[in-house]
Amino acid sequence: MSGGVETVRFTLNGVEREAPKGMLLIDAARLHGVDIPRYCSHPGLKPEGNCRMCVVEIEKMPKLQTSCTTPVQEGMVVHTESERVLEERRRVMEFLLVNHPIDCPICDQAGECMLQEYYMRHDLQPSRVELEEKIHKPKRVDLGPLVVLDAERCVLCSRCVRFCRDVAGVEELAIKNRGGHAEITAFPGRRLENPYSGNVIDICPVGALTSRDFRFKVRVWFLKTAESVCPGCERGCSIHIEQYQNEVQRIRPRENLRVNRYWICDFGRLDYRWINENRLLSAEGPSGRLRPEEADREAARLLREAKAPLLVASPRMSNESLFALRLFREKALPEARIAGGSFREPWEGDAILKRPDRNPNRRGMETLGLAGGPEEALRAGPDLVLVIENDLLGDRPEAKELLTGKKVIVLASNRDATASAAGLRVPVATYAETEGSWTNFEGITQTFHPVLRPVGDSRSVAEALAGIAAALGADLGPVDAGTLRAAVLREAPQLDPARGREEDGRVG
């Protein structure tokens, strides 16, 4: 071990190992590639040791111990796969399945259920309880706006109860009754509706808590996944975007200890429908639909004729798109003014994840020297405005007066208010269809990757700018994300996504 951390040496399944002093055995084993099964244990929650699935045998200790509550100690000799341990796991599994409905074929959690996986790995024995003798509990319980409970499937690990109490800071869930009749419930008169409620779906190890938004949409094994970053605010939570048939089906948190740990807010979880809906599929001008090359020529004509063009960047653009815009101004339109900013009103942040600024890349925009505020630039009297990924009118309808009398070209992914008011609309891809990076308020840069094919005639912002530049007689050079990122890092190495990876291996 390095970094000045005090370590202890212990023996794990016959092999001498090393781990930080005080680390729990379940984590120390995982550190060395030994995955101990668990239900109640979760790295983002305090240990509780109630499911007994993670028991291990420790020499000189007469009873099996729960590895999720036992710290590793110097000289400890631990066995995770001994006969005593395996037999105990089989007993735990049989106990958990006594009253389980065994409805895997219709369960929405099939394919990512720990009960299903552990049965195959550690049990594989027929039930000694007839189906008609099982205790039946409530199904399809409306716990809150996002979560549906099937109490029969619950293994009472209490992860959801502890998440609400220890992470969200609210007392919304509890366990009522005793023995075989125990079940998860909301407190009387309350619902599961805190701003982080959807995380209980992710941490539920079985199919007890399911997403009202995702239920029965598609089987999970049909989903394709990409690592991405939430665009909801300047926190930039790490997420997984999952798609089926080129439409986003759900968003889940991605572990990143420096940014969002294991969680996302409910707004970020549901902030994907705009990617699927109301898309701008082709370029449109006053005469109607345009092919991409026609749109490039029309944009070039308008820009060439303009006496005082203004280019408006957005803190929602990637670092690579922002750099491409700078190249565009330098090589194709040096007389143009450039401004960056947003009219998006801040929302109320909190002490968990949500930040007041609802733009994911203000820090990157400022670092690349593109901040300056669009309002002042618009009042300076440009006769043409090129707006990129920035819904000025949707964020502040009264800003219409700032665009009155000006020719407006937009590069937008959706038919938003600004795009609808523009004279020329050029479709561009969303962050789910392209590669790029955003830098959050703490200076941490993360990359996102495409999970969807661009719809219609959409191109990346850099490709759209390169097309218009070519029509103006300028060459921006290669505009793929890798080339642009290398150029960004030559000028601003602090925007390197690799910075910080050494600390936790998760960033980027």
Side-chain angles (χ1 to χ4, degrees):
M1 295 290 162
S2 60
V5 177
E6 188 176 356
T7 61
V8 295
R9 299 190 69 80
F10 70 110
T11 301
L12 179 66
N13 295 337
V15 180
E16 194 167 284
R17 301 293 192 183
E18 206 174 69
K21 184 179 182 181
M23 177 177 273
L24 295 172
L25 267 177
I26 197 168
D27 298 324
R30 188 181 181 191
L31 194 65
H32 295 289
V34 176
D35 184 27
I36 299 176
R38 82 286 305 271
Y39 291 112
C40 70
S41 171
H42 186 281
L45 302 174
K46 295 175 184 175
E48 186 147 297
N50 69 36
C51 76
R52 320 298 296 179
M53 191 64 186
C54 71
V55 291
V56 296
E57 185 173 3
I58 302 174
E59 291 187 9
K60 299 181 181 176
M61 298 185 77
K63 295 183 178 180
L64 298 178
Q65 302 295 311
T66 50
S67 60
C68 72
T69 59
T70 306
V72 64
Q73 294 184 23
E74 180 72 31
M76 188 176 267
V77 180
V78 182
H79 302 279
T80 69
E81 301 288 334
S82 67
E83 275 304 313
R84 283 184 69 197
V85 169
L86 295 178
E87 179 57 27
E88 184 64 15
R89 285 180 195 161
R90 279 192 287 271
R91 290 172 179 163
V92 170
M93 286 299 305
E94 183 175 25
F95 173 74
L96 294 177
L97 289 166
V98 163
N99 290 308
H100 192 277
I102 320 293
D103 57 353
C104 303
I106 61 167
C107 178
D108 216 41
Q109 193 86 351
E112 48 187 15
C113 171
M114 293 169 69
L115 193 66
Q116 200 175 43
E117 293 174 12
Y118 290 162
Y119 172 77
M120 300 303 292
R121 284 166 52 185
H122 300 286
D123 195 12
L124 281 177
Q125 56 187 334
S127 174
R128 288 184 281 178
V129 180
E130 298 296 330
L131 282 175
E132 55 270 23
E133 297 175 0
K134 289 178 181 282
I135 296 173
H136 296 291
K137 298 179 183 178
K139 302 180 80 69
R140 298 180 296 280
V141 179
D142 177 16
L143 273 189
L146 203 58
V147 183
V148 177
L149 166 68
D150 186 320
E152 284 190 340
R153 297 173 185 162
C154 178
V155 295
L156 296 169
C157 69
S158 78
R159 283 183 178 185
C160 53
V161 175
R162 288 178 285 142
F163 172 83
C164 291
R165 183 189 64 209
D166 299 337
V167 180
V170 292
E171 296 282 2
E172 291 180 335
L173 296 181
I175 297 176
K176 70 175 182 181
N177 300 332
R178 304 291 295 272
H181 295 276
E183 62 185 63
I184 295 292
T185 185
F187 276 100
R190 303 204 62 172
R191 281 165 59 82
L192 178 60
E193 54 188 359
N194 70 77
Y196 294 87
S197 68
N199 290 286
V200 303
I201 302 163
D202 305 317
I203 62 175
C204 179
V206 297
L209 298 173
T210 52
S211 165
R212 190 186 303 279
D213 178 67
F214 181 69
R215 277 165 64 92
F216 307 119
K217 271 187 176 178
V218 58
R219 284 299 196 182
V220 295
W221 48 83
F222 292 128
L223 295 173
K224 294 181 179 176
T225 302
E227 293 187 351
S228 193
V229 184
C230 177
C233 77
E234 62 176 343
R235 171 75 62 180
C237 292
S238 298
I239 58 172
H240 288 291
I241 297 182
E242 297 180 326
Q243 67 93 4
Y244 177 65
Q245 294 186 339
N246 211 43
E247 286 195 355
V248 178
Q249 302 296 328
R250 69 175 179 180
I251 285 177
R252 293 186 298 117
R254 177 164 56 93
E255 180 183 335
N256 187 332
L257 300 183
R258 294 188 68 202
V259 178
N260 54 293
R261 293 177 56 75
Y262 310 92
W263 325 116
I264 55 173
C265 70
D266 289 351
F267 176 87
R269 184 180 299 274
L270 300 177
D271 186 28
Y272 69 85
R273 291 166 179 150
W274 62 272
I275 299 173
N276 300 335
E277 301 168 353
N278 198 29
R279 292 295 301 273
L280 187 59
L281 299 177
S282 63
E284 297 171 355
S287 58
R289 180 176 176 176
L290 300 170
R291 294 194 298 274
E293 59 275 18
E294 293 174 325
D296 293 343
R297 288 197 294 270
E298 177 63 8
R301 182 186 70 79
L302 293 170
L303 288 165
R304 193 180 293 115
E305 293 175 352
K307 295 179 180 176
L310 171 66
L311 313 179
V312 179
S314 164
R316 297 178 68 79
M317 294 169 63
S318 68
N319 291 322
E320 293 73 17
S321 296
L322 291 164
F323 194 85
L325 180 61
R326 279 185 26 180
L327 280 178
F328 178 80
R329 201 271 293 265
E330 292 165 8
K331 294 190 175 183
L333 213 61
E335 70 276 16
R337 292 190 62 192
I338 193 167
S342 167
F343 289 158
R344 178 164 287 194
E345 292 291 332
W347 63 14
E348 186 176 356
D350 60 34
I352 302 176
L353 293 176
K354 292 174 71 176
R355 296 283 304 174
D357 190 338
R358 297 166 60 197
N359 297 292
N361 198 32
R362 188 176 297 280
R363 183 74 170 263
M365 185 183 71
E366 292 172 349
T367 303
L368 292 172
L370 292 172
E375 184 161 352
E376 181 183 351
L378 288 167
R379 292 191 187 283
D383 58 343
L384 183 147
V385 184
L386 174 61
V387 184
I388 305 167
E389 291 191 294
N390 206 336
D391 187 12
L392 300 174
L393 299 183
D395 294 333
R396 192 193 299 176
E398 63 271 25
K400 187 175 182 180
E401 62 174 288
L402 296 174
L403 295 177
T404 300
K406 303 175 178 62
K407 294 179 180 176
V408 179
I409 305 171
V410 298
L411 271 58
S413 57
N414 292 69
R415 194 179 297 278
D416 55 33
T418 308
S420 298
L424 177 61
R425 297 173 280 277
V426 178
V428 293
T430 67
Y431 76 103
E433 298 157 342
T434 56
E435 182 178 351
S437 64
W438 286 323
T439 305
N440 80 354
F441 73 106
E442 295 178 305
I444 298 172
T445 298
Q446 298 183 83
T447 54
F448 48 84
H449 306 276
V451 66
L452 304 174
R453 299 185 306 277
V455 298
D457 293 334
S458 299
R459 298 169 286 178
S460 70
V461 168
E463 290 169 337
L465 290 171
I468 298 172
L472 285 166
D475 181 10
L476 300 190
V479 291
D480 61 279
T483 301
L484 290 170
R485 188 172 305 142
V488 168
L489 298 186
R490 282 195 293 273
E491 177 179 311
Q494 65 270 39
L495 300 183
D496 188 351
R499 294 182 72 208
R501 278 181 178 157
E502 297 80 3
E503 294 183 25
D504 56 27
R506 301 287 180 180
V507 177

